[in-house]
């Protein structure tokens, strides 16, 4: 028998038992749909995280004071005073792999204009901060190095702060807002960035010269952190190593010798590359986990195909005997049942793909989750469903091919 006839026979057998065929393929349909939907959500989350990190600057390096022990009690890093202006100036002068650097000091409080007020965070930075954090000024201008040198009381508002303090849409440029009791003249408004993938409002901030915040607000001489941007993403690791060496030298931390261990760093350095790698690794693990959980339903569907095909062989034992008695070989019977199993798998796969794509877009529309349907997930789904049909259809097909024609004809 040629494959065309075997294909027709398989189609007729499936059409003769529509309900049973549909229930057989249902496991495959649910499995494929689950795999595509889960992988779409996982890949969408991964891409969203990567985009969010890229928005903050993929080559950004963050230097924070390290925690320390005092009297046996570990102190919070934020309470340490290990980062000084000399550290900022030395890194700026000596580090060859950075193109921008900014001191950062922060304070939270209430911003007031007229009868309006809003809580927000005040960031004391310099002009490089915009490039480091991928920010830009939409209206007005950024404060100047002269403003930083003179500790001028000027600021640049984020769009959320503008909306809250100027609800009627008035132009904020030139207006004076108060942070707690300190007046600041608005010189610019930042371009709107919206919420990131973690739900944080990137426009709820105010920028001011770091000298103004240190002297007029916090009355401190140390820095909360230092932020840099490497020349390119590829030299981020070299920049991190060079900054580490500079800070260890500045802080007089001793290296390891034969007699003693090296002094522990009193600062922490984190790069966006490191953060991106960690977040991507976590996202990949979650995607694999979701895919494995969804793949279990494929195995269940395959077992369903095997069971139904096994029942089909038992029901059609006499038919198999008649075919073999008129010349059909064992390979013909084997191929006939294998083709049935593959047809059920592929048909279930097609329906499952459409259902999975539809479910993915429904999640995006109604749950507002990020999704990313990639071609390899569909190709993999088809490969898996075909393999499932062959693998789980093989045993019942082998059983049918090994039947004795005489005993098969006499079977009741």
């Amino acid at each position: 028998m040629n494959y065309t006839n075997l294909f027709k026979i398989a189609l007729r057998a499936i059409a003769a038992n529509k309900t049973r065929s549909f229930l057989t393929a249902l496991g495959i349909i649910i499995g494929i749909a689950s795999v595509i939907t889960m992988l779409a959500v996982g890949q969408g989350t991964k891409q969203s995280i990567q985009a969010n990190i890229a928005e903050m600057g993929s080559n950004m390096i963050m230097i924070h004071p390290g925690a320390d022990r005092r009297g046996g009690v570990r102190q919070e890093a934020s309470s340490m005073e290990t980062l000084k202006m000399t550290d900022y100036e030395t890194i700026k002068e000596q580090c060859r792999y950075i193109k921008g650097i900014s001191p950062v000091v922060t304070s939270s409080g209430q911003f007031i204009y007229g009868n309006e007020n809003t809580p927000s965070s005040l960031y004391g930075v310099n002009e490089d901060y915009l490039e480091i954090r991928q920010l830009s000024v939409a209206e007005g201008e950024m404060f100047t190095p002269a403003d930083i040198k003179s500790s001028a009381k000027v600021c640049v508002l984020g769009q959320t702060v503008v909306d809250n303090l100027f609800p009627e849409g008035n132009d904020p440029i030139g207006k004076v807002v108060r942070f707690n009791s300190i007046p600041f003249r608005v010189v610019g408004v930042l371009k709107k960035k919206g919420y990131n993938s973690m739900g944080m409002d990137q426009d709820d901030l105010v920028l001011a010269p770091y000298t103004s915040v240190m002297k007029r607000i916090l009355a401190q001489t140390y820095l909360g952190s230092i932020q840099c941007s490497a020349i390119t993403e590829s030299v981020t690791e070299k920049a991190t190593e060079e900054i580490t060496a500079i800070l260890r030298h500045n802080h007089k931390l001793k290296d390891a010798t034969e007699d003693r261990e090296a002094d522990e760093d009193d600062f922490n350095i984190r790069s966006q590359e490191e953060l991106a790698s960690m977040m991507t690794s976590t996202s990949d693990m979650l995607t694999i986990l979701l895919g494995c959980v969804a793949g279990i339903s494929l195995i269940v569907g395959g077992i369903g195909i095997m069971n139904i095909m096994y029942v089909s062989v038992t029901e059609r034992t006499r038919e198999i005997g008649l075919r073999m008695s008129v010349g059909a070989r064992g390979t013909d019977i084997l191929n006939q049942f294998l083709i049935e199993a593959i047809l059920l798998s592929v048909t279930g796969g097609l329906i499952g793909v459409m259902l999975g794509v539809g479910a993915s877009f429904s999640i995006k529309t109604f749950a507002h989750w990020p999704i990313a349907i990639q071609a390899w997930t569909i190709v993999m789904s088809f490969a898996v469903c075909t393999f499932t049909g062959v693998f789980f259809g093989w045993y019942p097909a082998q059983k049918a091919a090994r039947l004795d024609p005489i005993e098969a004809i006499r079977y009741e």
Side-chain angles (χ1 to χ4, degrees):
M1 297 178 76
N2 58 39
Y3 283 98
T4 303
N5 288 334
L6 289 174
F7 186 77
K8 291 178 180 177
I9 291 169
L11 281 178
R12 282 199 296 269
I14 291 172
N17 299 279
K18 295 182 180 66
T19 304
R20 187 173 71 184
S21 298
F22 173 73
L23 293 175
T24 304
L26 187 60
I28 298 295
I29 293 171
I30 294 172
I32 295 294
S34 300
V35 168
I36 290 176
T37 305
M38 294 294 189
L39 291 180
V41 171
Q43 290 297 317
T45 303
K46 177 181 175 180
Q47 290 182 9
S48 177
I49 290 171
Q50 290 173 339
N52 182 56
I53 291 173
E55 280 183 5
M56 293 190 292
S58 58
N59 56 345
M60 186 169 69
I61 301 170
M62 296 156 286
I63 308 164
H64 295 277
D68 193 14
R69 288 184 181 273
R70 294 179 182 175
V73 178
R74 182 171 291 276
Q75 306 294 314
E76 290 186 9
S78 59
S79 67
M80 300 306 294
E81 302 178 10
T82 54
L83 292 181
K84 303 288 187 179
M85 283 299 301
T86 51
D87 295 324
Y88 157 69
E89 291 164 358
T90 308
I91 294 171
K92 184 177 182 180
E93 292 171 3
Q94 297 182 9
C95 190
R96 299 164 296 170
Y97 297 104
I98 63 171
K99 62 179 179 180
I101 181 170
S102 173
V104 179
V105 286
T106 60
S107 179
S108 297
Q110 207 77 5
F111 284 88
I112 303 168
Y113 177 75
N115 295 327
E116 304 294 338
N117 67 88
T118 183
S120 189
S121 297
L122 179 65
Y123 289 80
V125 296
N126 67 10
E127 66 276 11
D128 285 352
Y129 189 77
L130 293 182
E131 182 183 1
I132 295 169
R133 294 301 301 267
Q134 303 290 306
L135 299 170
S136 59
V137 177
E139 300 175 30
E141 59 184 8
M142 185 63 172
F143 44 79
T144 64
D147 293 326
I148 296 173
K149 188 174 181 179
S150 63
S151 304
K153 292 182 284 187
V154 294
C155 67
V156 178
L157 305 182
Q159 190 59 53
T160 299
V161 179
V162 172
D163 294 340
N164 291 333
L165 293 183
F166 303 91
E168 296 180 359
N170 297 331
D171 184 7
I173 306 300
K175 302 293 192 300
V176 175
V177 299
R178 282 179 294 144
F179 177 69
N180 296 335
S181 59
I182 308 298
F184 282 86
R185 181 170 56 87
V186 179
V187 295
V189 175
L190 293 173
K191 184 178 179 181
K192 188 173 183 178
K193 294 193 73 172
Y195 287 83
N196 60 23
S197 61
M198 291 176 280
M200 296 175 63
D201 187 355
Q202 300 178 92
D203 301 313
D204 190 9
L205 79 166
V206 176
L207 306 183
Y210 68 89
T211 51
S212 305
V213 178
M214 290 174 70
K215 293 178 181 179
R216 303 180 186 279
I217 305 293
L218 300 174
Q220 67 183 40
T221 57
Y222 60 92
L223 303 176
S225 65
I226 300 172
Q227 294 193 5
C228 319
S229 59
I231 296 171
T232 61
E233 193 173 343
S234 60
V235 299
T236 301
E237 187 174 348
K238 291 182 179 179
T240 302
E241 292 172 356
E242 194 169 34
I243 292 169
T244 300
I246 291 170
L247 289 178
R248 286 187 64 84
H249 179 267
N250 275 12
H251 296 183
K252 296 180 173 55
L253 300 175
K254 296 179 181 179
D255 296 328
T257 63
E258 293 181 359
D259 302 325
R260 62 188 301 278
E261 294 182 355
D263 290 339
E264 187 178 349
D265 291 341
D266 59 357
F267 54 88
N268 293 314
I269 301 178
R270 294 287 182 268
S271 66
Q272 289 293 80
E273 183 181 15
E274 181 183 347
L275 178 61
S277 176
M278 181 183 68
M279 296 293 284
T280 300
S281 176
T282 303
S283 178
D284 285 342
M285 287 180 62
L286 287 173
T287 301
I288 292 170
L289 177 62
L290 291 173
C292 289
V293 171
I296 292 173
S297 56
L298 272 179
I299 297 174
V300 174
I303 294 172
I305 286 179
M306 182 174 67
N307 290 338
I308 296 298
M309 294 301 295
Y310 191 84
V311 170
S312 180
V313 168
T314 304
E315 287 182 351
R316 296 161 64 187
T317 299
R318 293 192 67 188
E319 175 194 335
I320 294 167
L322 286 171
R323 290 186 187 283
M324 296 181 76
S325 66
V326 295
R329 297 167 297 172
T331 53
D332 295 326
I333 302 300
L334 176 68
N335 289 336
Q336 175 188 337
F337 282 91
L338 272 181
I339 289 172
E340 282 188 37
I342 292 171
L343 278 174
L344 286 171
S345 297
V346 172
T347 303
L350 284 170
I351 298 172
V353 167
M354 291 186 287
L355 188 62
V357 172
S360 299
F361 281 104
S362 296
I363 289 173
K364 181 180 181 180
T365 302
F366 297 108
H368 303 292
W369 290 3
I371 65 163
I373 301 174
Q374 298 179 323
W376 67 266
T377 60
I378 296 176
V379 172
M380 182 194 72
S381 300
F382 267 103
V384 169
C385 73
T386 303
F387 172 78
T388 301
V390 173
F391 181 80
F392 287 100
W394 179 264
Y395 176 72
Q398 275 286 89
K399 182 178 183 297
R402 290 175 180 174
L403 287 174
D404 181 85
I406 304 301
E407 292 183 4
I409 291 173
R410 291 175 178 174
Y411 180 84
E412 304 219 356

